[in-house]
Amino acid sequence: MSRVMGILGDFKLLHLINISETRLGKLGYTAGVPSDLLDRYDNVLESIASLVRELEIKGPVPPLEKAPIPDRDIFYMEETLADIENQVSGCLVRGREAAKELAKTEELISRLSMLGPADIDFTRLSRLCFVYCTFGVLPADNMPRLEESLSDIHHSLVTISRNKDRFVLAAFCLNEDRDVLERALKSAFFKEIDIPSGLKGTVSEVIEGLKKELPALETKAAQAREEKEAFKKRFQKALLLMREKAFMARLLLKAQSKFGKIDHTYLVTGWLPIEIFPRLKDAIMKATRGRAIVESVDPEDVREVREGIVKIPILFNNPLLIRPFEKLTSLYGTPSYREVEPTVFLALSFVLLFGMMFGDVGHGLVLFIVGLYVFRRLYRYMDYGIILMECGVSSMVFGVLYGSIFGVEDIIPAIWLHPMKDINRFMMFSVYIGVGMISMGFILNIINMIRTRNFQEFLSAGGVVGALLYWLLAGLGIRYVMAGPPAPVEIMAAKAVSSVLLLVMIVERPVRVILRRRRERGKGKSPQAEQGIGSMVIESIIEALDSIIRFLANTVSFVRVAAFALTHAALFAGVFAIADMVAQGSGRGAGYWLTLVGGNIVIILLEGMVVSIQIIRLEYFEFFSKFFRGGGRPFQPLVKQEEVR
Amino acid sequence: MLRAALKYSYLNAKTRTMHARRLKPSDWHILETTKDPPAFLRYLSATSYAPWVSRLLSARQEGNEQFERFVFAALFDDYRKIIRSIPDNDALGLVRALAARFEAENLKIVLRALFSGLKKSQVSHLLYPLDQKLSRLPFDSLWRQDSLGDAVKLLAETAYGPMLRHALSQVDAQGRLFPVEMAIDIVFFRQINSAVHGVRSRRDRTSVVEVVNSYVDVVNICHVARIRFVYGLSAEEALNYSYPGGSLTIKGLHSLAKAKDLQALIKLLPLGIRLAAEGAEDIPGLRMALEEWLLRRMRRAFLGYPFHLGVQVAHLLEKEIEVRSLVRLFQAKATQYQRPQAELVPGILLKSGDSVGGEGVVQAG
């Protein structure tokens, strides 16, 4: 079993099914977690953590080449760790003691330095037989009360030094009045300076003596540090690797709670991409010397899947440049198993729309450079770096098409158009893009209907009939814009076809219901109490009209692509106008250029953010809403790299 | 004088209106005769305390602890009203310093909770309801600290910081929080003292010094007596733990601290205070007698020339005594503690037509 777990760890791409959620699990045939072994791994991890901390090991974590075999590797880890601890512990103890001794001496020197101005002779003080003496710090405001409170006993408060809010004092009294002095000092918030007994000579002599000891102590501490450094270099990789292995082993052990077990036989069930199944099977058969049964089952044959108890998890499998957009798809939902995975469409349309709305060579270049920096330096945000780079390239391409570099439109010629000068054409193009995206939405919805065998919606507003009606209306619109008003024959034909399509949309649901009721009656079932046919027809009419309005609104919504491109150009005009005003006042000096730079930064940040939000809105509401149902379950591999760490 | 009149006319009218709303002897009489806490609260809800008591009644919280919180809110409301209309920064500093008494009490509760490992929810009923106008200490951050040491570090930049650092070493040595509590009180009285001497106008300062010194003397005498005869600490400790400020000298306080019993202590008091305190048999009796003496002194601020800060300070301190008396009376009702009202409420509040205060004071404004 342990070897099999190692193989599963190596393959990584396995989404375990929790056996306790299945019938077998409900009967109690679950494997459970081997708590003894888990405790041993916990101890190992604790020891490694302590060593890593003490040796001050930092740095990149080496990648694991092979997953551990938990119940075999623990022996190796414990033995190796004990060996390292044996070698290192002496050095660590010596280092700790040296550091402690050094700190203690330095602290004593600093305490004694407070008494420095009086240069007290400790030898003479130690000879005092009838007088008690103590040193400490007193809040300055408490001095008058302290003096008065000691007025009934023989005492002396000698000020050694003072600053604005505290005194360093030496307090003397007769031995018989020691209690009174101590009570008074305590209540006056006197903080005693702890002086070790047995000191000989004056304060300066003692400090001198202690300072002479310092180099030896420092050398000792330095030696211990060097020794520690050598151990650090020697064991760094081994300890970090062992920590990774122990984490991974722990994860694999914990995963056993999802396994099934009958006597000495384990049952491991899970989802994995079909193409890696043969390799996994071979590896397991080899490791167990044929004493395993590895079977693949079509999801359709699994009763739990059919009954909806178990959902097939979805593994996003997109190329590197598309992968970052998976996050945007996931924000909307996880596609179900048979649905089209829409990330690739989202990625392409996102980049295209961003370029159109934010087209400028300079700004695109800035975005690309920022993205490249994020991609190379900030590993955690690599995905955002890729998105920024792609959007940057798209902006640059459209910048060339618009002939715009940092808003200046006379450096390079516009290959296609200037958005501000050709507004109508640009708006029409935006609408064409909208027609294209909505049409793609219809096509994907029809594909989803076929894949999920949901044929009953085929003739609805979201199905083939709705799509045909939309294309008919869109075609008429495009025909009108490009070649003028349609001929009467064309209008007649369009009216006839659209009437038929509308009629189908209206009657398809009532007809379906009537047919179903008939079928049920034929089988002897009494039909369920539900809506009457009349109200159903009225509802269908309203739905059909609503769909037509929605088609129109969805398409017009894409005009915003042009609107934001115009806003982008208008903001440039604003920035140049402000810079010119500055230049009129103080010439084309630093103020002018600062305004231009500041303005461009504001445009990149503000406009960049607004454009992104608008594109996401278009993607979600106008595109995804046509075909994407979601409700799927994300694929969770047995071992995620971040979980291991 | 014209300047002072311009400065104080509005504030004076406002303060005297607030002062006129204090409980009348007849109110105290009825409150004393109520049979239980609900009846007490019902009557109180028909007085100037109505807004706060109705809130308490609607929240159905009739416990002693909640009563104290709600009724003190009335005092804080007066503080806020005066702070809003106060003309000078130095005068504002003094009023804020007076309010710091409650901030200091809250700070002690927080530190006590941290010291004993209690959670905020366990002691929140004990905290005075102060807002940003009355306290600027970072209480929310204090509650997030793990230990007393961390809390003291957080307070390092506040007025309490240096003294608390010294007190912390005593907490470590003595294993109790007492030094920290003393340190907080001492800092508070130092703040009051410096705020009083920071008042620039001579007339304001004279009137304020008289009221505040009397207040500090009363607190100090009761404090020394309690430390000596209740806690049993030595004379030198009692002196060092006494509060700065007031008219009593350090020598005078030391001689009080050295008194062997309460009667000896009373005999050592300055003449005016001694006459008021004579006859007190225990510390609550002494406190009641001194509060009465203090109230008489404070009511003098409302007579004669009206445009000075002493009026506001006297009103706030008198209101505090009224609120504390109310709390004592309510607690006596709640615990069925059978003591005559005169032992719970200063006599001057119970008598009508008093020669020094009385209703005539209101007309003076």
Side-chain angles (χ1 to χ4, degrees):
Chain A
M1 183 60 207
S2 167
R3 280 194 205 115
V4 172
M5 289 192 63
I7 291 165
L8 295 180
D10 281 340
F11 270 79
K12 290 189 176 74
L13 279 177
L14 175 71
H15 175 112
L16 275 181
I17 292 174
N18 192 351
I19 208 80
S20 60
E21 289 170 7
T22 64
R23 284 186 173 76
L24 192 66
K26 294 213 165 60
L27 292 171
Y29 295 108
T30 49
V33 179
S35 55
D36 292 351
L37 199 52
L38 211 58
D39 287 347
R40 284 169 75 185
Y41 271 105
D42 283 342
N43 292 338
V44 163
L45 279 168
E46 211 172 290
S47 305
I48 296 174
S50 154
L51 279 171
V52 165
R53 196 175 48 244
E54 295 241 31
L55 291 173
E56 295 167 25
I57 291 174
K58 281 172 196 152
V61 180
L64 267 184
E65 282 166 11
K66 209 162 166 51
I69 298 172
D71 55 0
R72 200 187 66 186
D73 285 355
I74 185 71
F75 294 101
Y76 162 76
M77 285 188 201
E78 281 173 343
E79 198 182 319
T80 315
L81 206 56
D83 186 37
I84 295 174
E85 275 174 338
N86 268 343
Q87 293 183 54
V88 170
S89 61
C91 154
L92 290 177
V93 170
R94 278 194 298 281
R96 273 198 296 266
E97 278 173 0
K100 201 171 154 190
E101 218 173 321
L102 185 65
K104 206 171 140 190
T105 310
E106 282 172 343
E107 216 244 308
L108 182 57
I109 291 173
S110 103
R111 266 183 283 147
L112 288 171
S113 303
M114 292 166 92
L115 308 178
D119 206 20
I120 296 156
D121 188 343
F122 291 113
T123 318
R124 288 176 65 192
L125 273 185
S126 65
R127 287 193 209 121
L128 293 174
C129 297
F130 303 104
V131 173
Y132 168 72
C133 166
T134 183
F135 303 96
V137 182
L138 182 84
D141 291 332
N142 295 4
M143 189 63 162
R145 273 180 162 66
L146 177 65
E147 284 275 17
E148 175 58 33
S149 68
L150 294 171
S151 60
D152 292 343
I153 61 167
H154 293 293
H155 74 280
S156 176
L157 297 176
V158 180
T159 305
I160 295 171
S161 67
R162 69 166 295 179
N163 62 19
K164 75 174 177 8
D165 65 349
R166 65 172 202 178
F167 285 101
V168 178
L169 283 184
F172 297 87
C173 71
L174 295 177
N175 271 345
E176 63 197 51
D177 295 327
R178 180 177 171 170
D179 285 351
V180 177
L181 179 72
E182 282 184 342
R183 279 201 300 267
L185 290 175
K186 185 179 76 181
S187 54
F189 302 104
F190 178 82
K191 189 178 175 187
E192 198 179 343
I193 297 172
D194 189 22
I195 307 288
S197 57
L199 293 180
K200 300 284 174 209
T202 62
V203 170
S204 53
E205 284 167 2
V206 174
I207 290 177
E208 203 57 40
L210 288 169
K211 278 184 178 167
K212 276 181 192 159
E213 286 175 23
L214 278 179
L217 289 171
E218 275 162 1
T219 314
K220 217 166 142 186
Q223 274 172 355
R225 266 200 305 276
E226 271 172 29
E227 222 178 323
K228 194 166 94 172
E229 203 56 36
F231 278 123
K232 180 180 166 182
K233 270 186 193 150
R234 198 165 137 203
F235 294 124
Q236 176 159 7
K237 199 177 166 196
L239 280 171
L240 290 177
L241 202 62
M242 207 192 305
R243 189 173 65 179
E244 289 298 290
K245 268 195 172 177
F247 273 133
M248 171 82 103
R250 232 177 142 270
L251 263 180
L252 291 173
L253 286 174
K254 278 191 162 178
Q256 282 194 21
S257 64
K258 293 182 178 175
F259 295 176
K261 189 183 177 191
I262 302 171
D263 294 332
H264 299 292
T265 310
Y266 284 88
L267 174 70
V268 184
T269 52
W271 302 101
L272 80 164
I274 189 73
E275 57 272 17
I276 65 168
F277 175 73
R279 278 193 293 132
L280 178 72
K281 186 177 178 178
D282 285 351
I284 291 176
M285 296 308 280
K286 209 167 151 187
T288 55
R289 293 191 205 109
R291 286 177 299 170
I293 300 169
V294 185
E295 282 182 354
S296 72
V297 182
D298 190 303
E300 293 301 314
D301 297 338
V302 180
R303 189 165 57 176
E304 279 85 353
V305 172
R306 283 201 309 272
E307 289 172 1
I309 299 169
V310 173
K311 277 188 178 171
I312 307 171
I314 300 302
L315 174 67
F316 286 109
N317 190 18
N318 290 301
L320 179 73
L321 294 179
I322 306 281
R323 200 174 301 152
F325 291 93
E326 287 170 0
K327 281 186 178 146
L328 289 179
T329 307
S330 305
L331 272 179
Y332 190 87
T334 305
S336 58
Y337 182 62
R338 296 215 175 271
E339 256 186 311
V340 174
E341 205 273 271
T343 307
V344 65
F345 302 104
L346 180 134
L348 293 175
S349 53
F350 190 101
V351 171
L352 172 79
L353 293 176
F354 191 92
M356 280 183 74
M357 291 159 94
F358 202 75
D360 184 275
V361 177
H363 285 183
L365 189 64
V366 172
L367 288 184
F368 183 82
I369 292 167
V370 172
L372 191 64
Y373 176 81
V374 174
F375 179 72
R376 288 212 169 155
R377 297 289 167 91
L378 308 173
Y379 178 77
R380 277 180 64 195
Y381 303 106
M382 200 173 84
D383 283 352
Y384 298 104
I386 295 174
I387 292 178
L388 277 174
M389 283 195 288
E390 288 173 350
C391 288
V393 170
S394 176
S395 284
M396 283 193 278
V397 170
F398 276 92
V400 171
L401 293 176
Y402 299 159
S404 169
I405 301 175
F406 285 116
V408 183
E409 296 191 340
D410 45 17
I411 298 175
I412 53 167
I415 295 177
W416 181 30
L417 51 71
H418 285 297
M420 289 292 271
K421 290 175 190 160
D422 219 344
I423 295 173
N424 286 344
R425 204 170 132 211
F426 196 38
M427 280 196 176
M428 282 321 299
F429 187 76
S430 304
V431 172
Y432 297 156
I433 294 273
V435 171
M437 279 184 71
I438 293 169
S439 300
M440 180 55 75
F442 275 119
I443 293 167
L444 292 175
N445 194 35
I446 293 165
I447 293 172
N448 280 344
M449 281 176 182
I450 296 166
R451 289 177 70 168
T452 54
R453 296 187 186 114
N454 181 15
F455 299 114
Q456 54 186 0
E457 298 286 327
F458 223 70
L459 299 178
S460 69
V464 177
V465 175
L468 287 175
L469 184 62
Y470 178 72
W471 287 328
L472 177 70
L473 296 175
L476 275 178
I478 293 169
R479 159 85 174 76
Y480 180 84
V481 172
M482 298 185 87
V489 186
E490 287 170 329
I491 293 173
M492 284 291 288
K495 272 184 184 169
V497 175
S498 59
S499 303
V500 173
L501 291 172
L502 262 175
L503 195 67
V504 173
M505 276 164 71
I506 291 165
V507 299
E508 64 92 20
R509 197 162 141 238
V511 168
R512 251 192 303 131
V513 172
I514 290 167
L515 290 175
R516 180 168 52 79
R517 284 181 189 172
R518 248 189 214 172
R519 263 201 317 273
E520 281 170 0
R521 273 201 207 100
K523 284 179 188 171
K525 286 183 196 169
S526 57
Q528 291 165 349
E530 56 187 350
Q531 216 177 0
I533 297 297
S535 63
M536 211 178 287
V537 169
I538 291 170
E539 212 173 88
S540 296
I541 292 170
I542 294 167
E543 268 176 28
L545 291 174
D546 179 57
S547 302
I548 295 170
I549 293 166
R550 260 190 298 121
F551 294 158
L552 187 70
N554 289 161
T555 311
V556 171
S557 191
F558 278 84
V559 172
R560 79 186 64 217
V561 176
F564 277 94
L566 293 175
T567 311
H568 196 199
L571 280 172
F572 277 129
V575 170
F576 281 119
I578 296 169
D580 284 340
M581 277 193 278
V582 173
Q584 275 171 12
S586 53
R588 285 202 166 193
Y592 175 80
W593 292 109
L594 274 177
T595 310
L596 283 186
V597 172
N600 273 282
I601 292 172
V602 170
I603 293 175
I604 291 172
L605 292 177
L606 188 75
E607 180 78 356
M609 189 178 69
V610 173
V611 162
S612 306
I613 292 168
Q614 289 301 327
I615 297 172
I616 290 170
R617 191 215 164 277
L618 285 174
E619 298 283 356
Y620 284 175
F621 291 102
E622 323 300 355
F623 184 49
F624 275 13
S625 63
K626 295 279 170 297
F627 66 96
F628 192 11
R629 303 285 172 274
R633 188 179 176 191
F635 189 92
Q636 287 169 329
L638 176 63
V639 180
K640 270 190 197 168
Q641 209 52 37
E642 53 272 33
E643 266 179 34
V644 173
R645 297 214 177 93
Chain B
M1 184 178 156
L2 189 64
R3 204 166 150 237
L6 284 172
K7 235 166 56 170
Y8 282 109
S9 51
Y10 171 66
L11 183 59
N12 232 310
K14 200 169 173 179
T15 311
R16 282 171 193 272
T17 310
M18 288 191 277
H19 194 249
R21 287 192 196 136
R22 68 194 190 280
L23 294 177
K24 310 280 178 299
S26 55
D27 295 327
W28 287 107
H29 173 71
I30 296 171
L31 285 171
E32 205 259 327
T33 52
T34 51
K35 66 177 194 317
D36 54 16
F40 186 98
L41 291 176
R42 268 198 303 280
Y43 182 77
L44 204 59
S45 66
T47 66
S48 58
Y49 287 89
W52 297 277
V53 178
S54 340
R55 256 177 251 162
L56 177 71
L57 285 171
S58 62
R60 294 189 179 174
Q61 291 163 328
E62 293 174 11
N64 302 356
E65 296 143 349
Q66 294 301 333
F67 176 75
E68 193 170 341
R69 267 172 60 83
F70 276 82
V71 86
F72 263 98
L75 170 65
F76 300 142
D77 197 49
D78 281 10
Y79 264 103
R80 273 189 288 269
K81 281 177 184 162
I82 288 177
I83 283 174
R84 266 205 301 271
S85 321
I86 212 135
D88 295 326
N89 277 342
D90 48 340
L92 183 67
L94 175 63
V95 177
R96 280 195 197 283
L98 282 175
R101 172 109 184 115
F102 305 99
E103 175 188 78
E105 289 302 325
N106 279 359
L107 180 59
K108 281 197 260 181
I109 291 167
V110 175
L111 296 184
R112 222 175 283 152
L114 282 176
F115 186 68
S116 346
L118 295 173
K119 286 182 188 156
K120 186 181 179 183
S121 56
Q122 291 170 284
V123 296
S124 57
H125 62 279
L126 300 172
L127 297 169
Y128 290 112
L130 300 175
D131 58 14
Q132 283 291 312
K133 271 210 170 101
L134 299 179
S135 169
R136 284 173 187 168
L137 283 186
F139 281 107
D140 287 337
S141 309
L142 276 173
W143 280 116
R144 287 196 290 271
Q145 303 308 306
D146 295 325
S147 67
L148 192 60
D150 292 342
V152 170
K153 261 185 218 156
L154 187 71
L155 294 166
E157 298 303 316
T158 65
Y160 298 95
M163 196 66 177
L164 280 178
R165 247 195 341 267
H166 282 280
L168 197 59
S169 61
Q170 287 301 324
V171 172
D172 295 338
Q174 297 177 33
R176 55 183 186 156
L177 201 65
F178 185 70
V180 160
E181 293 175 331
M182 284 293 102
I184 291 171
D185 281 339
I186 289 170
V187 171
F188 158 71
F189 279 101
R190 260 183 211 151
Q191 279 178 307
I192 287 258
N193 204 23
S194 66
V196 166
H197 291 100
V199 174
R200 281 198 302 267
S201 150
R202 197 160 56 85
R203 198 191 288 270
D204 277 350
R205 197 167 52 246
T206 314
S207 66
V208 161
V209 162
E210 193 183 333
V211 175
V212 174
N213 276 3
S214 306
Y215 170 72
V216 176
D217 287 345
V218 167
V219 176
N220 238 344
I221 293 165
C222 294
H223 178 62
V224 168
R226 205 168 46 243
I227 281 189
R228 285 287 287 120
F229 311 126
V230 178
Y231 302 150
L233 298 185
S234 65
E236 51 276 7
E237 285 170 297
L239 175 62
N240 281 317
Y241 286 141
S242 67
Y243 304 134
S247 58
L248 294 171
T249 60
I250 294 176
K251 242 181 191 8
L253 279 169
H254 193 200
S255 60
L256 290 180
K258 284 193 284 188
K260 67 176 191 305
D261 57 27
L262 188 64
Q263 294 312 319
L265 182 143
I266 291 171
K267 277 185 192 140
L268 291 167
L269 291 172
L271 182 65
I273 310 179
R274 192 173 71 222
L275 289 174
E278 266 171 0
E281 290 168 358
D282 51 13
I283 292 176
L286 174 71
R287 189 191 57 212
M288 201 51 59
L290 294 184
E291 275 186 5
E292 178 144 3
W293 173 80
L294 176 63
L295 281 169
R296 282 178 194 285
R297 304 263 303 172
M298 287 195 301
R299 286 198 178 173
R300 292 215 296 241
F302 288 89
L303 302 175
Y305 177 79
F307 304 119
H308 57 81
L309 189 61
V311 173
Q312 283 69 44
V313 173
H315 166 69
L316 290 172
L317 293 177
E318 182 173 344
K319 178 98 175 183
E320 186 183 329
I321 292 175
E322 182 179 274
V323 169
R324 286 193 193 283
S325 304
L326 261 181
V327 172
R328 280 199 293 267
L329 198 58
F330 180 79
Q331 281 171 344
K333 292 276 163 210
T335 54
Q336 297 179 337
Y337 177 66
Q338 302 295 330
R339 293 291 291 258
Q341 194 181 32
E343 291 183 20
L344 302 166
V345 183
I348 189 170
L349 298 177
L350 308 174
K351 290 172 207 153
S352 55
D354 186 84
S355 57
V356 181
E359 307 311 314
V361 171
V362 179
Q363 289 159 15

